[in-house]
Amino acid sequence: MALSRRHALLAGTATAVVATTGLPAFAATPAEPHYRIPVDPGDTPDELVAKAAKVRPTKRQLAWQRLEKTAFLHFGVNTFTGLEWGTGDEDPDVFQPTGLDTDQWARALRDGGFKLAILTAKHHDGFVLYPSRYTRHSVVSSSWRDGRGDVLRSFADSMRKYGIKVGVYISPADENQYLDGVYANGSARTTHTVPTLVDGDDRAGRDLPTYDLDATDYGAHMLNQLYEVLTEYGPVDEVWFDGAQGRIPPDKVEKYDWDSWYALIRALAPDASIAVSGPDVRWVGNEGGMARENEWSVIPVKDTGNGKYDYALPYDAPDNGSREALVEAQPTAAALQWWPAECDVSIRPGWFYHADQQPKSVEQLTDIWFRSVGRGAVLLLNVPPDRDGLLPAADVARLKEFRERTDRELPRDLARGARVTDDGAGSRTVDLGRPLAVDRIRLAEDIRLGQQVEQFVVEAEVDGAWRTVAALGTIGAARILPLAAPVTARRWRLRVTGSRSAVHIKEFGLYKSQV
């Protein structure tokens, strides 16, 4: 028989409360001291670097980093109105995806090599793609499927059917709730029991885990919707928040209850990465899908209140993690944090489907891949479903072509099975056994032990002398180097010429592209 449970989550951490049986109801999340390390105004530059060298990713961040390519699906009332940002007062009956086939979405993403997909369960307009108990601005108010449609259910089931992890985007901004006087209404933070049952709630009488959390009126609305999504749709691997306001006036900004939102997510989906406006993954700073030439996963952050840490330097700063950046950020930084970059971009000019737009070319997508995945970030590619509820045929074909192209860029690691020598100082020599042509190089640090490389060179032994073929800065989780022309050599060498601490090379791959 299930226990009766009541949980309290306070100040962003889970605190055990004794259940009615006298047993602990909830175990606190283990501390992760190396994920975020505090800094002090008096730290010297060398002390800052030493602290940065000790920052480590969490298990959920490591799992997220291994995905490399993830997908976004922007779908909602905007798909039918032609807007990018909705108004919040749309007639829900405009939502009519009569040919909805989420299996088709999943097959296309699987064939494109994507390992996780994020659905816009709620965009800024506040229209919800599942039958929420907390708003009528949702699929229940559309005549589509007689008001019994549930896009999120179909999406989650299809993704798992085809081996793709499930992510959800729930917009912090909500224009419908603003119009209804809930968002940014000036309410004080008070303790709310989540879930908050409504009249006729189908969960009444069930033994639900409940949580006492501090929130404003709108913060509680978000908590209740997060509870629905994270308890009724199976495992969720990424929860995606952003910072856009939609059409809400800039002077009507809700101070979000990040501490309570994060705590609830950690309790209900402990393996899920909380992305962008979250502690696990950050926005790279542009919507072009491009990481910096030298992208750091350890960056300075400041405490903005209510449990949220944010960029200590501008989000689009050209340098956010070098030695110089650590010093520059010191006046405002509270800590150094493992906060890797996610590069979001749409396959089409818009984020939602527009009939007059076409997908990017394979060449454009491949260039983005080199500048995102190839620079240690994760690519988040948006592929918007059309008004029928299908991914357009042109986009489906492009996804497959994109995967085939990247497979040809790195077809076979010539260094696999070769003789490898490490000198213990971050340098590695690979003997291929015979001269082979190479025009692509893939490097990686073992980021379980942090990000340490600040400068490196790759050399090939040509005519008895070592010749530099590449000289760059960071490596991190991945670095993919396309050479301007093939270089033929038997022996290849990676030399780390600058680092923060001991370097641990995980990968030194050599390839001849088939492009």
Side-chain angles (χ1 to χ4, degrees), residues 361-392:
S361 68
V362 171
E363 288 72 22
Q364 288 174 303
L365 292 174
T366 304
D367 182 61
I368 289 169
W369 176 75
F370 274 116
R371 296 170 187 261
S372 56
V373 176
R375 292 176 175 175
V378 169
L379 172 60
L380 176 60
L381 180 65
N382 179 63
V383 190
D386 64 19
R387 294 180 181 182
D388 290 328
L390 299 171
L391 296 186

Short mmCIF file of all heavy atoms in Angstrom, two decimals, residues 361-392:
data_model
loop_
_atom_site.label_atom_id
_atom_site.label_comp_id
_atom_site.label_asym_id
_atom_site.label_seq_id
_atom_site.Cartn_x
_atom_site.Cartn_y
_atom_site.Cartn_z
N SER A 361 20.10 24.85 -46.25
CA SER A 361 20.78 23.86 -47.08
C SER A 361 21.62 22.93 -46.22
O SER A 361 21.93 23.23 -45.05
CB SER A 361 21.68 24.56 -48.10
OG SER A 361 22.77 25.19 -47.44
N VAL A 362 22.01 21.81 -46.80
CA VAL A 362 22.89 20.87 -46.10
C VAL A 362 24.20 21.56 -45.76
O VAL A 362 24.77 21.35 -44.67
CB VAL A 362 23.13 19.62 -46.95
CG1 VAL A 362 24.21 18.75 -46.32
CG2 VAL A 362 21.84 18.83 -47.11
N GLU A 363 24.70 22.38 -46.66
CA GLU A 363 25.97 23.09 -46.41
C GLU A 363 25.83 24.02 -45.22
O GLU A 363 26.74 24.10 -44.37
CB GLU A 363 26.38 23.88 -47.66
CG GLU A 363 26.88 23.02 -48.80
CD GLU A 363 25.76 22.24 -49.50
OE1 GLU A 363 24.57 22.65 -49.39
OE2 GLU A 363 26.08 21.21 -50.12
N GLN A 364 24.71 24.74 -45.12
CA GLN A 364 24.50 25.62 -43.98
C GLN A 364 24.42 24.84 -42.67
O GLN A 364 25.02 25.22 -41.66
CB GLN A 364 23.21 26.43 -44.17
CG GLN A 364 23.30 27.51 -45.23
CD GLN A 364 21.95 28.17 -45.48
OE1 GLN A 364 20.98 27.51 -45.82
NE2 GLN A 364 21.89 29.47 -45.27
N LEU A 365 23.68 23.75 -42.69
CA LEU A 365 23.53 22.95 -41.47
C LEU A 365 24.86 22.32 -41.05
O LEU A 365 25.18 22.25 -39.86
CB LEU A 365 22.48 21.86 -41.69
CG LEU A 365 21.04 22.36 -41.86
CD1 LEU A 365 20.12 21.20 -42.22
CD2 LEU A 365 20.54 23.05 -40.59
N THR A 366 25.64 21.89 -42.02
CA THR A 366 26.94 21.29 -41.71
C THR A 366 27.88 22.32 -41.11
O THR A 366 28.62 22.04 -40.16
CB THR A 366 27.55 20.66 -42.96
OG1 THR A 366 26.63 19.70 -43.50
CG2 THR A 366 28.87 19.96 -42.64
N ASP A 367 27.86 23.53 -41.65
CA ASP A 367 28.68 24.60 -41.08
C ASP A 367 28.27 24.88 -39.64
O ASP A 367 29.13 25.08 -38.76
CB ASP A 367 28.53 25.86 -41.93
CG ASP A 367 29.39 27.00 -41.43
OD1 ASP A 367 30.63 26.85 -41.39
OD2 ASP A 367 28.83 28.05 -41.05
N ILE A 368 26.96 24.89 -39.37
CA ILE A 368 26.48 25.09 -38.01
C ILE A 368 26.96 23.96 -37.11
O ILE A 368 27.37 24.18 -35.95
CB ILE A 368 24.94 25.19 -38.00
CG1 ILE A 368 24.50 26.52 -38.64
CG2 ILE A 368 24.38 25.06 -36.58
CD1 ILE A 368 23.01 26.61 -38.91
N TRP A 369 26.92 22.73 -37.60
CA TRP A 369 27.37 21.57 -36.82
C TRP A 369 28.84 21.71 -36.43
O TRP A 369 29.22 21.47 -35.29
CB TRP A 369 27.13 20.31 -37.66
CG TRP A 369 27.61 19.04 -37.06
CD1 TRP A 369 27.04 18.33 -36.05
CD2 TRP A 369 28.77 18.28 -37.46
NE1 TRP A 369 27.76 17.18 -35.79
CE2 TRP A 369 28.82 17.13 -36.64
CE3 TRP A 369 29.74 18.47 -38.43
CZ2 TRP A 369 29.83 16.17 -36.78
CZ3 TRP A 369 30.75 17.52 -38.56
CH2 TRP A 369 30.78 16.39 -37.75
N PHE A 370 29.69 22.11 -37.38
CA PHE A 370 31.11 22.31 -37.07
C PHE A 370 31.28 23.40 -36.01
O PHE A 370 32.18 23.31 -35.16
CB PHE A 370 31.89 22.71 -38.33
CG PHE A 370 32.38 21.55 -39.14
CD1 PHE A 370 31.92 21.34 -40.43
CD2 PHE A 370 33.32 20.67 -38.63
CE1 PHE A 370 32.38 20.27 -41.20
CE2 PHE A 370 33.79 19.60 -39.38
CZ PHE A 370 33.32 19.40 -40.67
N ARG A 371 30.42 24.43 -36.04
CA ARG A 371 30.58 25.58 -35.14
C ARG A 371 29.81 25.42 -33.83
O ARG A 371 29.83 26.32 -32.99
CB ARG A 371 30.14 26.85 -35.85
CG ARG A 371 31.01 27.20 -37.05
CD ARG A 371 30.38 28.33 -37.86
NE ARG A 371 31.08 28.59 -39.09
CZ ARG A 371 31.98 29.56 -39.28
NH1 ARG A 371 32.29 30.36 -38.27
NH2 ARG A 371 32.56 29.74 -40.44
N SER A 372 29.11 24.33 -33.64
CA SER A 372 28.40 24.06 -32.39
C SER A 372 28.94 22.79 -31.75
O SER A 372 29.76 22.85 -30.83
CB SER A 372 26.89 23.97 -32.64
OG SER A 372 26.59 22.99 -33.63
N VAL A 373 28.54 21.64 -32.28
CA VAL A 373 29.07 20.37 -31.77
C VAL A 373 30.59 20.35 -31.87
O VAL A 373 31.28 19.88 -30.96
CB VAL A 373 28.46 19.19 -32.57
CG1 VAL A 373 29.08 17.86 -32.12
CG2 VAL A 373 26.95 19.17 -32.40
N GLY A 374 31.11 20.90 -32.96
CA GLY A 374 32.55 20.91 -33.17
C GLY A 374 33.31 21.87 -32.28
O GLY A 374 34.55 21.91 -32.32
N ARG A 375 32.59 22.64 -31.47
CA ARG A 375 33.23 23.55 -30.53
C ARG A 375 32.81 23.25 -29.09
O ARG A 375 32.87 24.11 -28.21
CB ARG A 375 32.90 25.00 -30.88
CG ARG A 375 33.55 25.44 -32.20
CD ARG A 375 33.15 26.85 -32.57
NE ARG A 375 33.86 27.34 -33.76
CZ ARG A 375 33.64 28.50 -34.35
NH1 ARG A 375 32.69 29.32 -33.86
NH2 ARG A 375 34.32 28.86 -35.42
N GLY A 376 32.36 22.02 -28.86
CA GLY A 376 32.09 21.58 -27.50
C GLY A 376 30.71 21.88 -26.97
O GLY A 376 30.43 21.66 -25.79
N ALA A 377 29.80 22.37 -27.83
CA ALA A 377 28.44 22.67 -27.41
C ALA A 377 27.50 21.56 -27.89
O ALA A 377 27.91 20.62 -28.57
CB ALA A 377 28.01 24.03 -27.96
N VAL A 378 26.23 21.69 -27.55
CA VAL A 378 25.18 20.81 -28.06
C VAL A 378 24.31 21.62 -29.01
O VAL A 378 23.91 22.74 -28.69
CB VAL A 378 24.35 20.19 -26.92
CG1 VAL A 378 23.10 19.51 -27.46
CG2 VAL A 378 25.20 19.20 -26.13
N LEU A 379 24.02 21.06 -30.17
CA LEU A 379 23.18 21.72 -31.17
C LEU A 379 21.71 21.43 -30.88
O LEU A 379 21.32 20.26 -30.72
CB LEU A 379 23.54 21.23 -32.57
CG LEU A 379 22.62 21.68 -33.71
CD1 LEU A 379 22.60 23.20 -33.83
CD2 LEU A 379 23.05 21.03 -35.03
N LEU A 380 20.90 22.48 -30.79
CA LEU A 380 19.45 22.36 -30.65
C LEU A 380 18.82 22.91 -31.92
O LEU A 380 18.73 24.13 -32.10
CB LEU A 380 18.97 23.12 -29.42
CG LEU A 380 17.45 23.16 -29.19
CD1 LEU A 380 16.88 21.76 -29.04
CD2 LEU A 380 17.11 24.01 -27.96
N LEU A 381 18.40 22.03 -32.81
CA LEU A 381 17.86 22.42 -34.12
C LEU A 381 16.34 22.36 -34.10
O LEU A 381 15.75 21.31 -33.87
CB LEU A 381 18.42 21.51 -35.21
CG LEU A 381 17.94 21.82 -36.64
CD1 LEU A 381 18.44 23.19 -37.10
CD2 LEU A 381 18.38 20.74 -37.61
N ASN A 382 15.71 23.49 -34.38
CA ASN A 382 14.26 23.56 -34.42
C ASN A 382 13.74 23.10 -35.78
O ASN A 382 14.22 23.54 -36.82
CB ASN A 382 13.79 24.99 -34.16
CG ASN A 382 12.28 25.14 -34.22
OD1 ASN A 382 11.56 24.55 -33.42
ND2 ASN A 382 11.79 25.90 -35.18
N VAL A 383 12.74 22.21 -35.75
CA VAL A 383 12.09 21.73 -36.96
C VAL A 383 10.58 21.85 -36.74
O VAL A 383 9.98 21.00 -36.07
CB VAL A 383 12.47 20.26 -37.28
CG1 VAL A 383 11.97 19.87 -38.67
CG2 VAL A 383 13.97 20.05 -37.17
N PRO A 384 9.93 22.91 -37.25
CA PRO A 384 8.54 23.18 -36.88
C PRO A 384 7.53 22.37 -37.70
O PRO A 384 7.58 22.35 -38.93
CB PRO A 384 8.39 24.67 -37.19
CG PRO A 384 9.37 24.94 -38.30
CD PRO A 384 10.53 23.99 -38.06
N PRO A 385 6.59 21.69 -37.03
CA PRO A 385 5.51 21.01 -37.74
C PRO A 385 4.60 22.01 -38.46
O PRO A 385 4.47 23.17 -38.04
CB PRO A 385 4.74 20.28 -36.63
CG PRO A 385 5.72 20.18 -35.50
CD PRO A 385 6.56 21.42 -35.59
N ASP A 386 3.96 21.55 -39.54
CA ASP A 386 3.10 22.43 -40.32
C ASP A 386 1.66 22.39 -39.81
O ASP A 386 1.36 21.78 -38.77
CB ASP A 386 3.17 22.09 -41.81
CG ASP A 386 2.66 20.69 -42.13
OD1 ASP A 386 1.92 20.10 -41.30
OD2 ASP A 386 2.99 20.18 -43.21
N ARG A 387 0.74 23.01 -40.56
CA ARG A 387 -0.64 23.13 -40.09
C ARG A 387 -1.39 21.80 -40.12
O ARG A 387 -2.43 21.67 -39.47
CB ARG A 387 -1.37 24.17 -40.93
CG ARG A 387 -0.83 25.58 -40.73
CD ARG A 387 -1.56 26.59 -41.56
NE ARG A 387 -1.00 27.94 -41.39
CZ ARG A 387 -1.47 29.02 -41.97
NH1 ARG A 387 -2.50 28.93 -42.80
NH2 ARG A 387 -0.90 30.19 -41.76
N ASP A 388 -0.89 20.84 -40.85
CA ASP A 388 -1.49 19.51 -40.83
C ASP A 388 -1.03 18.71 -39.61
O ASP A 388 -1.60 17.65 -39.32
CB ASP A 388 -1.12 18.74 -42.10
CG ASP A 388 -1.80 19.29 -43.33
OD1 ASP A 388 -2.94 19.80 -43.20
OD2 ASP A 388 -1.21 19.22 -44.42
N GLY A 389 0.02 19.20 -38.94
CA GLY A 389 0.57 18.45 -37.83
C GLY A 389 1.66 17.49 -38.26
O GLY A 389 1.93 16.49 -37.60
N LEU A 390 2.32 17.80 -39.38
CA LEU A 390 3.39 16.98 -39.94
C LEU A 390 4.65 17.81 -40.09
O LEU A 390 4.58 19.03 -40.27
CB LEU A 390 2.99 16.43 -41.31
CG LEU A 390 1.76 15.53 -41.36
CD1 LEU A 390 1.38 15.27 -42.82
CD2 LEU A 390 2.02 14.22 -40.64
N LEU A 391 5.81 17.16 -40.06
CA LEU A 391 7.03 17.83 -40.47
C LEU A 391 7.03 17.89 -41.99
O LEU A 391 6.78 16.88 -42.66
CB LEU A 391 8.27 17.08 -39.97
CG LEU A 391 8.44 16.99 -38.45
CD1 LEU A 391 9.79 16.35 -38.12
CD2 LEU A 391 8.32 18.35 -37.79
N PRO A 392 7.28 19.08 -42.57
CA PRO A 392 7.24 19.21 -44.02
C PRO A 392 8.20 18.25 -44.70
O PRO A 392 9.29 17.97 -44.19
CB PRO A 392 7.64 20.66 -44.26
CG PRO A 392 7.31 21.36 -42.97
CD PRO A 392 7.56 20.35 -41.90
#
